C-alpha cells in the first residue's frame, strides 16, 4: 500500500519518524508523502527522518499557543488547528493523491495538539480526498492521570466517528516498568513502527511476480473497511542462515524448487498464531473482530502455500469470522520471516472502558473543583471579619 502519513502533535510526529526509519532500514516503500504538524516549535525540531520542509508549525500567532504548544489542552489544540486550517489545507495540496492508496493520521490522544488537532486535520482530509483516511491513535497509560484519560476518551469518539478505521495503541500495555518514560516511548515507537510498516507496506515490492499469494493494497483496504477500532499483532523469527539453510535458499531460488514442505507450513502457521497471541497494539478479544488479515513477510523461499492455507483456517476459527485474508509480501533479502495480523473492528477492548471510567472520575473532580474555586479564593483573600476593603 502507498500512504500519505501525517503525524499530528509530538507523539504522532515521533511515531511517523520511526515508521520512516523502519522503512529505510528494511528497504520498504510505504510513506510516499509525510507531514508533521505541531503547535510546539521545539517538538517539531525533534524528528530525524521527516524532511524539514514537511514540518508545519501551527498556532504560532495564536495568543494561547504562540509556538510553545497547548499545554495538554485539547480544546486549545482543536482551536489552533481550526484557526490555521487554510495553512493545513495548503500543506495537503502537495499530496499527489493519485499516487497514494490511503492516508494515515497518527496522534497521541492524551495530549492537546494531536488529540484536539487530529480530528480537525481528519475533517479537512476527508473533505479534500476520496481515499480512505485511517488513524493510529495512542491511548495514554493509567499512570498519566485523569486529564490525559479525559482528553483521550473524548477525542477517541471524534477520531473513530471521522476516520474509515482507527488502529489503537495502548501505552499501558506496552510500558516496561524498569524503563524511564522516554526510554519506554522510544522502544514502543519502534515496536509500533515495525507492526504498522510490515502490515501496510505489503504489496509494494518491485518484483511482485515472485509471490503466489501476494497481498495487495485492495486487500488491506477491504479489511479496514469495517470502520471501528482495530488492533495489530506481530511476530518475527530469524530466517535459517546456517550454511545448509543458505544453500537450500540458493537452490530454491535458482531452480524454482517448491519447498512447500511440512516444516515450512508449520513455521508459517506457528508465526501467525504467535502474532495473534502476542501483545496486541491494543489488547482486545480476538473473537470480537469483524475481519482479519495476516501478512507474511520475508524471503519468498520461506513461503508455503500450505502454511498460508492452514494459517487462514486457524485465524478464521480464532477470530470467529469468515472474512479472513492471509497473503505474503516477498522481501528477498530480509533476515527475518514476520507475520503482522490486523484484527479489524474489535469491539471488546477493556482498556477503552477503563479510560472512560478514569475520564468520568476526572470530569467530576474538575467540575467539583471549579464549583468551589471562586469561594475558596474569596476566603483566602478576605480577612476573618471582612474589615478590609480593596484599594480600587
Ligand atoms: P501533543 O503534542 O499535545 O499532542 O501531546 P504529546 O503527543 O506529547 O502527548 C500526548 C500523549 O501521547 C501522552 O499523553 C502520551 O500518552 C503519549 N505519548 C507522548 N509521547 C509518546 C511517544 O513517543 N510514544 C508513545 N507511544 N506515546 C507517547
Amino acid at each position: 500500500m502507498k500512504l500519505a502519513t501525517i503525524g499530528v502533535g509530538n507523539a504522532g510526529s515521533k511515531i511517523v519518524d520511526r515508521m520512516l526509519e523502519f522503512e529505510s532500514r528494511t528497504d520498504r516503500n510505504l510513506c510516499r508523502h509525510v507531514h508533521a504538524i505541531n503547535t510546539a516549535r521545539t517538538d517539531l525540531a525533534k524528528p530525524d527522518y521527516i524532511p524539514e520542509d514537511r514540518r508545519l508549525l501551527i498556532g504560532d500567532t495564536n495568543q494561547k499557543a504562540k509556538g510553545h504548544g497547548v499545554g495538554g489542552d485539547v480544546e486549545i489544540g482543536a482551536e489552533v488547528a481550526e484557526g490555521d486550517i487554510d495553512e493545513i489545507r495548503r500543506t495537503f495540496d502537495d499530496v499527489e493523491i493519485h499516487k497514494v492508496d490511503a492516508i494515515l493520521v497518527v496522534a497521541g490522544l492524551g495530549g492537546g495538539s494531536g488529540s484536539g488537532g487530529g480530528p480537525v486535520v481528519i475533517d479537512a482530509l476527508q473533505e479534500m480526498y476520496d481515499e480512505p483516511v485511517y488513524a493510529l491513535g495512542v491511548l495514554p497509560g493509567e499512570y498519566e492521570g485523569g486529564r490525559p484519560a479525559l482528553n483521550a476518551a473524548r477525542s477517541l469518539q471524534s477520531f473513530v466517528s471521522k476516520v474509515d478505521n482507527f488502529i489503537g495503541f495502548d501505552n499501558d500495555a506496552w510500558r516496561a516498568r524498569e524503563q524511564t518514560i522516554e526510554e519506554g516511548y522510544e522502544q514502543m515507537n519502534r515496536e509500533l513502527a515495525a507492526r504498522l510498516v510490515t502490515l501496510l507496506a505489503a504489496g509494494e515490492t518491485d518484483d511482485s511476480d515472485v509471490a503466489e499469494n501476494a497481498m495487495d493494497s485492495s486487500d488491506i483496504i477491504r479489511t479496514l473497511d469495517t470502520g471501528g477500532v482495530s488492533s495489530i499483532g506481530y511476530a518475527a523469527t530469524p530466517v535459517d542462515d546456517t550454511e545448509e539453510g543458505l544453500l537450500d535458499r540458493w537452490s530454491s531460488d535458482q531452480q524454482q524448487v517448491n519447498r512447500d514442505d511440512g516444516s515450512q507450513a508449520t513455521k508459517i502457521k506457528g508465526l501467525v498464531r504467535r502474532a495473534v497471541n502476542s501483545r496486541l497494539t491494543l489488547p482486545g478479544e480476538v473473537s470480537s473482530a469483524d475481519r482479519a488479515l495476516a501478512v507474511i513477510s520475508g524471503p519468498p523461499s520461506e513461503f508455503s502455500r500450505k502454511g498460508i492455507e492452514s494459517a487462514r483456517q486457524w485465524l478464521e476459527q480464532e477470530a470467529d469470522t469468515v472474512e479472513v485474508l492471509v497473503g505474503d509480501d516477498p522481501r528477498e533479502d530480509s533476515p527475518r520471516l514476520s507475520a503482522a495480523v490486523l484484527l479489524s473492528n474489535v469491539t471488546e477492548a477493556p482498556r477503552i472502558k477503563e479510560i472512560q471510567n478514569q475520564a468520568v472520575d476526572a470530569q467530576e473532580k474538575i467540575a467539583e473543583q471549579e464549583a468551589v474555586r471562586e469561594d475558596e479564593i474569596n476566603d483566602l483573600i478576605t480577612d476573618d471579619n471582612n474589615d478590609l476593603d480593596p484599594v480600587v
Side-chain angles (χ1 to χ4, degrees), residues 342-363:
L342 169 67
L343 299 166
S344 190
N345 192 19
V346 172
T347 48
E348 287 174 43
R351 181 73 194 123
I352 292 182
K353 288 290 152 217
E354 285 168 21
I355 288 180
Q356 284 161 352
N357 292 337
Q358 202 181 357
V360 169
D361 289 348
Q363 186 161 271

Side-chain angles (χ1 to χ4, degrees), residues 40-342:
R41 194 174 277 109
T42 46
D43 288 341
L44 215 47
K46 287 181 192 165
D48 300 317
Y49 290 81
I50 301 174
E52 298 273 346
D53 64 349
R54 298 286 171 175
R55 306 179 194 185
L56 176 66
L57 179 69
I58 55 169
D60 49 335
T61 55
N62 180 297
Q63 277 310 305
K64 294 171 200 155
K66 292 185 179 163
H68 302 304
V70 296
D73 190 320
V74 71
E75 308 286 350
I76 303 179
E79 179 189 311
V80 160
E82 274 160 4
D84 279 351
I85 196 66
D86 292 338
E87 217 175 322
I88 292 173
R89 283 173 178 280
R90 264 198 300 279
T91 304
F92 296 154
D93 277 342
D94 287 355
V95 178
E96 289 173 280
I97 200 69
H98 60 279
K99 290 197 181 154
V100 305
D101 302 305
I103 303 168
L104 178 71
V105 175
V106 185
L109 267 52
S113 305
S115 187
V120 176
V121 166
I122 290 163
D123 272 343
L125 290 164
Q126 292 282 28
E127 275 167 29
M128 290 172 78
Y129 304 115
D130 292 332
E131 280 63 21
V133 179
Y134 307 126
L136 180 285
V138 177
L139 303 178
E142 192 194 351
Y143 56 90
E144 290 186 55
R147 173 63 77 175
L150 180 55
N151 289 346
R154 294 180 61 210
S155 177
L156 180 70
Q157 295 188 0
S158 311
F159 269 87
V160 175
S161 67
K162 291 174 191 298
V163 291
D164 293 280
N165 201 302
F166 177 94
I167 301 171
F169 183 85
D170 176 21
N171 273 358
D172 226 27
W174 284 83
R175 186 180 174 215
R177 310 281 149 186
E178 68 280 4
Q179 287 172 322
T180 65
I181 292 197
E182 266 319 306
E183 285 167 357
Y185 282 161
E186 190 54 31
Q187 187 172 340
M188 285 180 207
N189 295 350
R190 287 179 200 274
E191 297 273 4
L192 175 56
R195 282 155 179 77
L196 284 170
V197 176
T198 305
L199 175 78
L200 299 174
E204 295 312 315
T205 39
D206 297 333
D207 41 7
S208 49
D209 56 341
V210 274
E212 274 180 66
N213 304 290
M215 191 62 85
D216 69 27
S217 56
S218 61
D219 297 325
I220 301 172
I221 290 173
R222 180 174 153 65
T223 306
L224 287 167
D225 213 24
T226 54
V229 174
S230 299
S231 187
I232 304 173
Y234 176 85
T237 184
V239 166
D240 181 8
D241 56 1
T242 59
E243 211 169 299
E244 217 173 291
L246 286 174
L247 214 66
D248 251 5
R249 281 170 68 191
W250 179 81
S251 70
S252 71
D253 289 350
Q254 297 299 307
Q255 299 163 17
Q256 299 292 305
V257 175
N258 183 5
R259 288 208 305 134
D260 203 1
D261 59 29
S263 74
Q264 263 173 305
T266 310
K267 193 169 170 184
I268 286 185
K269 182 181 166 190
L271 205 58
V272 169
R273 190 202 298 243
R274 197 143 65 76
V276 172
N277 291 328
S278 70
R279 183 165 31 171
L280 301 173
T281 55
L282 173 66
E285 187 52 60
V286 175
S287 64
S288 74
D290 204 348
R291 292 181 187 165
L293 172 143
V295 173
I296 314 295
S297 176
S301 56
E302 296 290 312
F303 295 162
S304 148
R305 194 148 27 107
K306 209 159 74 187
I308 290 215
E309 184 45 33
S310 55
R312 197 194 56 71
Q313 283 171 7
W314 180 83
L315 194 51
E316 203 175 297
Q317 273 191 340
E318 204 65 11
D320 196 17
T321 168
V322 292
E323 301 269 11
V324 174
L325 293 169
V326 182
D328 44 47
D329 180 35
R331 303 279 158 193
E332 191 65 66
D333 298 324
S334 173
R336 267 183 306 279
L337 185 67
S338 50
V341 180
L342 169 67

